[in-house]
Structure formats: C-alpha cells, structure tokens
Amino acid sequence: MSFFTDGPRSRPLFPVPEQELFGYNGRPWVETPHEYIVPAILPWSMPLGRAERTIVALRGIEVWPESVSFQLSVYSRDLLLDEPGEGLIDHRRVPDYNALLVGVLFPDGRRASSETISVPSATKPDQPVLRAQGLGGSAFHVDHEIFLWPLPPDGPLEFIVQWLDRDIEESRTSLDGTAIRDAAKEAGEIWPGLPARKSHGLPVRRVGAQAMITPAWPRESQAPPPLPQPSSPPPASDRPRGAPLPTRLPRRAR
C-alpha cells in the first residue's frame, strides 16, 4: 500500500502553459544565481554589532562562483518593524545615517556599503556591488541577505555595521577572505547547458513586479495629435478699413 493514499488528480480545465527555465544571464553582479547554482555554505555565526536592547548578527555565508551573500539577522527587545518583509536597509532612498548601515572593506582598499543607492547595472561595474534584501521575520527579529560582488581577494575582509538610533557605534569584524574564495570552488551548477533566452530585439519594460516584452516605446503611430493652433488675424492689407480685430480664439479640440 502506498504511503500517499490520494490518487492522481485530474488536470485543470484551463491548464497554465508550461514554462521552461532559460540559461543563466551571465551577470553575476546583479544578484545571486539561486536558480542555477547550489552555493557553498560557511557556517560562520557571530555578533557584528551589539547594544543593550539590539543585536546585529551574522548567521552564515553562502558562497557563489563569483559573489557571496551574508545572512544577517537583527534581534531586538523593542519593536523593529510593522512589516518585517521590507527589511531595515533600503537602497532605493538616500540613506538615513542614524539607521542601520552595513559595509565591507576589501584588503586592497576597495569598499561598498548600503549608503549608496544601488541599482542593478546592465554592464559590468568597475567597483564592488553591495545590495541588501529583507527576508522577513517578526516584529522583534528581521532577517536580511547582504549580496556582495565580486568575491573578496585573499586576506582579511572587514564587515562594518553601524546603527546610531540603536546605540550601535561603528563596529568592524574581520572575516577570512581566503576561506571565502576557496569555498567558491565548491559551489555546484544545477542545470548545465540550458538554452539562452531569445530577446528578438524587443526591449524589456518593467511595470511594478511584472516584466513585459513590448515593442519600442513610444511608437510614432501612437504619438498624440498636435493641438490646433490659434488662427492669426489677416494682414492689415486684407482687412476692410476700420474693421475690428478678432477677439476670440477658436475652441480647443476636445
């Protein structure tokens, strides 16, 4: 007798068209390749910043072939957020220097931090990229993923945390950049040989959270018609002598 006793279910009346995963876009500086790579795990857990009622802690590190993501958690005895999914770090606005800030300093002097408004780039950046994403939690505990590209060079990697509103002064923790680079060799590819997405020369336009393929925008055929221009008074030579000038302009087209 089967462990799962329920039989096969009938297909829906209007089945959803099947979709296939396309090959990796080859832009490791944009985001972590969760759909294509199983990362290597470094189980490093330690406090990064501490105050009387708040702790910022590292829970572990995921290492990808060309990038790394830090699993960061914030714990508090006070209310942190009404909506934990939004996270405590926002790259879309000018940073609040009293709020939670994170950053990294490479051994060669390069740096990246959450004080920069971070926008994904279509071309390879010439500086490190750091981007934070809220992963949810509760009113008193919020998880984050801190994405960093590229992999740090050999040597000590400094992770910096500051949160003045919570009485956490600038705190620096040294991590082993060499161990991170070595772990990247253990990250495994899931689907080798997937076909690339065909763009057909059409630009991608984002509307909210939905990506749509649309023709070039705006189209010339969709351009609004020009508004009618007010008529000019006839030349003085064509007006009857003593006739008044027109005082009303034609009504605009509705």
Side-chain angles (χ1 to χ4, degrees):
M1 181 177 179
S2 173
F3 177 80
F4 299 102
T5 57
D6 190 11
R9 298 180 181 179
S10 59
R11 292 183 176 274
L13 182 60
F14 299 102
V16 178
E18 293 184 0
Q19 299 184 20
E20 291 285 340
L21 179 67
F22 287 101
Y24 180 49
N25 60 21
R27 294 185 294 175
W29 58 87
V30 174
E31 59 185 356
T32 54
H34 284 285
E35 296 174 330
Y36 305 93
I37 302 292
V38 177
I41 306 296
L42 292 176
W44 298 351
S45 179
M46 64 192 74
L48 301 175
R50 182 192 294 268
E52 181 181 357
R53 304 180 67 85
T54 308
I55 297 175
V56 181
L58 178 66
R59 294 187 296 106
I61 300 178
E62 294 181 336
V63 188
W64 313 86
E66 299 182 63
S67 61
V68 57
S69 53
F70 303 89
Q71 307 306 311
L72 195 74
S73 289
V74 178
Y75 305 91
S76 177
R77 295 167 59 183
D78 305 312
L79 179 68
L80 285 169
L81 285 175
D82 293 326
E83 297 292 337
E86 296 180 358
L88 293 160
I89 307 171
D90 193 343
H91 288 279
R92 297 168 296 180
R93 299 192 296 264
V94 176
D96 177 0
Y97 283 91
N98 292 317
L100 175 61
L101 297 173
V102 298
V104 294
L105 179 63
F106 285 2
D108 57 10
R110 290 178 297 165
R111 51 172 288 166
S113 75
S114 61
E115 63 182 336
T116 303
I117 299 178
S118 182
V119 178
S121 172
T123 58
K124 185 176 180 179
D126 55 3
Q127 293 296 324
V129 173
L130 183 145
R131 191 173 296 114
Q133 177 182 359
L135 300 179
S138 70
F140 303 93
H141 157 237
V142 181
D143 292 328
H144 302 80
E145 180 181 79
I146 311 298
F147 168 78
L148 175 65
W149 174 91
L151 292 171
D154 293 332
L157 171 71
E158 289 193 346
F159 199 102
I160 302 98
V161 168
Q162 176 180 292
W163 197 354
L164 299 182
D165 276 344
R166 292 272 173 167
D167 298 324
I168 298 178
E169 301 292 335
E170 181 180 299
S171 303
R172 300 190 175 208
T173 302
S174 182
L175 304 174
D176 189 346
T178 303
I180 293 176
R181 293 190 65 86
D182 290 342
K185 303 172 185 176
E186 305 300 324
E189 186 176 2
I190 304 172
W191 310 113
L194 289 179
R197 181 190 297 273
K198 296 181 180 179
S199 63
H200 302 290
L202 301 179
V204 176
R205 182 166 57 96
R206 286 197 173 274
V207 180
Q210 180 181 6
M212 302 188 342
I213 302 296
T214 61
W217 181 267
R219 296 180 182 175
E220 295 182 2
S221 60
Q222 294 178 344
L227 295 175
Q229 301 296 322
S231 57
S232 305
S237 59
D238 296 340
R239 292 199 306 268
R241 191 173 186 82
L245 292 173
T247 57
R248 298 183 61 187
L249 297 177
R251 181 176 299 176
R252 293 178 64 180
R254 294 184 184 272

